[in-house]
Amino acid sequence: MLYTHATIITVNTNRDVFTNGAIFVRGNLIADVGRSEELILKYPEEETYNLEGHIVIPGLISTHMHTAQTLLRGAADDLELVSWLCERIWVLQGNFTPEDGYAAARISIAEMLKTGTTCFLESMFANRYGFGGLCKAVEESGIRGCLGKIVMDIGTYAKDPKWAMHPGLVEDREMSLLGAIKMRERWDKKANDRIRIWFGARTPGGVSEGLYKEMASISREKSIPITMHCAEVKADREFFASLSPPQTPMSFCDNVGLLGPSTVLVHMVHLDDTDIAKLAETNTHVAHCPTSNAKLASGICRVPELLNAGVNVGLGTDGAPCNNANDLMQEMKLAAIIHKAKSYDPTLVPAETVLEMATINGAKALGLEDHIGSLEVGKKADFVAVDMRRVHLQPYFSPVSAIVYSATGADVRMVVVDGEIVVEGGKLKTMDEEEVWKEGEKRGHEIAERAGLGEKVKGRWPIIV
Ligand SMILES: [Zn+2]
């Protein structure tokens, strides 16, 4: 198929933007990219697909996502983190069934695909949500997924009983670490290589040092990448400082073998200069989630300093209870704006940098930069077309600015993953959307009832039925 007449932001090495460009897809790969008139002459026999009026970008890559939490969208707004986590999220998640996990994966993936995300890193899917159902949902939907299976052996957080996890979520070494390895053997590289299985380690405080070390050594031996939340809130930094001898977030991670090019650390809000230097030195990746950090009042990640130091930073939405959208297009806008506000410097983190974070940097973080993250010959055909023929998107002068600052996921009209059209005319082709959202609605409310939170999640104003 020859896709023609689009403005194409390639994010190739040269960062070329074609104003009337074409992409030739053969099988699941990009066979050619260039000017429309040249490619039409070069491939006269090929079926064409006219994308006039659209901007085409590489498929967006979310480096941090909790698929289970989409059933809890808006169920924990405007709460501080301990109440958010211990009184709402863990209680709700501790009441999930595997069928809920599958429905959550489907609604998450449907939303991501429709808003232009073609690959995501699931942070830590628990055993009770039914890990096989997540893999099945990825396989059926056509999306690409790096799926972190939770690794943990302590049922608290930062060793404070106040931060106890819901018992329904607690896993031991066997269920979590060995379970992840089993899932890896069953699912890694399945679905035409769209599925990769990762270790989704719990935050320090929720995993013993021995288990971290064992996971890190298996990670190196079997090439299983690791993702983990780290230094998200001030209390995390205080936890590291309270250890003996006192640690910083990155000295701790270094000591237990977590740092390296196969690790994605998430949030990373509370870092000092030595932490940043350690990340750069070890080529460890960072997933930046500005909406989540702002909404939970965790703080603002030092992204300009990380980028200056040469650290690879990707972008993530985090989960639906702290965002409340899995829309990376919206996340790009906040990522471009929030660092300007904090620093009084509007030149920091420009639109181009943010689009890199959401595409090629994300691909590097996932170890997939040879396959995805830019529109170049030989890479997988993963791309997104945004229809610009709309009043809120015109006029535009810089296509990158228009994508980062003006468009949202609702403007995505077509999505191709692995050479297949999975969204066309703004509609999902691989799932029945109505069935997916109705199932999500039903199961989300059932979980809240089972958790005894049916009334609390309805907000602060009187509800009249
Ligand atoms: Zn998270």
Side-chain angles (χ1 to χ4, degrees):
M1 179 75 85
L2 184 60
Y3 297 87
T4 64
H5 300 101
T7 294
I8 299 177
I9 303 173
T10 61
V11 198
N12 64 11
T13 316
N14 213 28
R15 302 296 190 256
D16 293 320
V17 178
F18 293 93
T19 53
N20 182 4
I23 300 175
F24 177 38
V25 174
R26 189 183 283 135
N28 66 342
L29 298 177
I30 296 171
D32 211 342
V33 185
R35 291 190 177 87
S36 282
E37 61 271 30
E38 287 170 19
L39 264 62
I40 290 166
L41 284 175
K42 215 164 149 187
Y43 308 103
E45 303 297 311
E46 284 302 321
E47 197 184 339
T48 59
Y49 195 115
N50 191 337
L51 286 172
E52 196 186 335
H54 291 69
I55 292 179
V56 168
I57 56 174
L60 300 177
I61 298 168
S62 179
T63 53
H64 187 62
M65 164 69 182
H66 297 259
T67 39
Q69 290 185 352
T70 303
L71 292 193
L72 312 178
R73 194 195 309 275
D77 293 337
D78 314 324
L79 294 172
E80 58 81 34
L81 188 76
V82 180
S83 316
W84 182 88
L85 200 56
C86 302
E87 290 165 19
R88 293 282 175 91
I89 299 308
W90 281 345
V91 181
L92 291 159
Q93 292 187 151
N95 277 282
F96 267 62
T97 64
E99 293 73 28
D100 296 330
Y102 178 62
R106 295 205 345 131
I107 195 168
S108 302
I109 292 168
E111 182 186 2
M112 285 191 282
L113 284 175
K114 285 189 56 144
T115 54
T117 294
T118 57
C119 182
F120 69 101
L121 173 55
E122 157 62 47
S123 177
M124 39 182 199
F125 207 79
N127 202 55
R128 76 167 301 125
Y129 314 148
F131 196 85
L134 170 63
C135 299
K136 203 167 111 207
V138 170
E139 183 173 43
E140 292 163 348
S141 67
I143 202 167
R144 229 175 261 293
C146 295
L147 311 176
K149 163 76 188 68
I150 198 165
V151 174
M152 65 172 292
D153 58 355
I154 300 176
T156 57
Y157 175 77
K159 289 181 182 158
D160 186 335
K162 181 177 79 187
W163 296 67
M165 232 181 177
H166 187 278
L169 288 172
V170 176
E171 297 187 25
D172 60 11
R173 169 186 174 274
E174 171 135 20
M175 188 189 278
S176 70
L177 181 78
L178 305 186
I181 295 166
K182 255 188 221 149
M183 282 298 135
R184 167 115 173 159
E185 284 159 6
R186 164 78 183 80
W187 284 100
D188 195 56
K189 302 198 175 165
K190 292 291 178 337
N192 205 29
D193 201 21
R194 286 185 288 107
I195 295 177
R196 299 290 173 99
I197 305 299
W198 285 44
F199 286 137
R202 264 199 72 210
T203 315
V207 184
S208 67
E209 290 192 17
L211 190 63
Y212 273 139
K213 286 178 181 163
E214 186 182 3
M215 177 186 71
S217 100
I218 296 170
S219 159
R220 278 187 291 274
E221 178 196 321
K222 295 184 185 281
S223 303
I224 308 179
I226 298 169
T227 187
M228 182 180 81
H229 293 73
C230 192
E232 178 175 1
V233 292
K234 269 194 200 140
D236 290 324
R237 195 166 182 98
E238 287 156 11
F239 167 75
F240 294 115
S242 74
L243 298 172
S244 83
Q247 304 287 331
T248 73
M250 290 309 95
S251 72
F252 176 88
C253 288
D254 200 19
N255 288 344
V256 294
L258 286 173
L259 300 183
S262 299
T263 295
V264 176
L265 296 175
V266 183
H267 298 308
M268 301 292 273
V269 176
H270 297 278
L271 302 178
D272 65 18
D273 293 345
T274 68
D275 292 320
I276 292 176
K278 192 56 112 180
L279 285 165
E281 181 192 314
T282 56
N283 296 313
T284 307
H285 310 277
V286 169
H288 176 41
C289 307
T291 302
S292 167
N293 300 151
K295 185 164 181 262
L296 292 173
S298 307
I300 299 174
C301 173
R302 297 173 65 192
V303 168
E305 289 93 333
L306 286 166
L307 293 172
N308 267 342
V311 177
N312 182 48
V313 181
L315 207 58
T317 56
D318 209 350
C322 57
N323 189 302
N324 303 1
N326 297 306
D327 177 353
L328 214 57
M329 301 278 285
Q330 293 186 42
E331 205 65 32
M332 285 199 287
K333 181 170 181 170
L334 187 62
I337 286 172
I338 200 165
H339 305 288
K340 299 169 169 49
K342 183 190 176 190
S343 63
Y344 303 98
D345 182 353
T347 67
L348 289 181
V349 195
E352 288 81 0
T353 301
V354 169
L355 190 57
E356 287 171 347
M357 286 163 63
T359 55
I360 192 71
N361 292 12
K364 282 180 195 154
L366 303 184
L368 297 173
E369 70 270 32
D370 293 339
H371 304 292
I372 58 174
S374 61
L375 302 175
E376 294 178 84
V377 173
K379 283 202 175 181
K380 300 278 169 71
D382 289 13
F383 57 88
V384 172
V386 177
D387 189 353
M388 302 305 288
R389 296 167 299 185
R390 313 181 95 174
V391 288
H392 63 285
L393 298 177
Q394 293 292 343
Y396 73 86
F397 304 96
S398 152
V400 177
S401 161
I403 290 294
V404 171
Y405 288 120
S406 305
T408 73
D411 300 314
V412 168
R413 297 305 286 170
M414 196 188 65
V415 178
V416 172
V417 188
D418 216 31
E420 299 289 331
I421 300 175
V422 291
V423 173
E424 193 172 27
K427 298 267 178 271
L428 263 179
K429 293 184 74 182
T430 52
M431 280 186 259
D432 179 339
E433 263 178 62
E434 192 177 325
E435 187 204 317
V436 167
W437 73 253
K438 282 188 171 166
E439 186 76 6
E441 182 200 28
K442 178 172 105 38
R443 289 185 177 276
H445 286 280
E446 284 170 359
I447 291 164
E449 289 302 326
R450 279 205 300 276
L453 290 171
E455 287 309 307
K456 273 200 175 148
V457 295
K458 288 181 182 163
R460 290 165 184 81
W461 285 357
I463 304 287
I464 298 155
V465 289

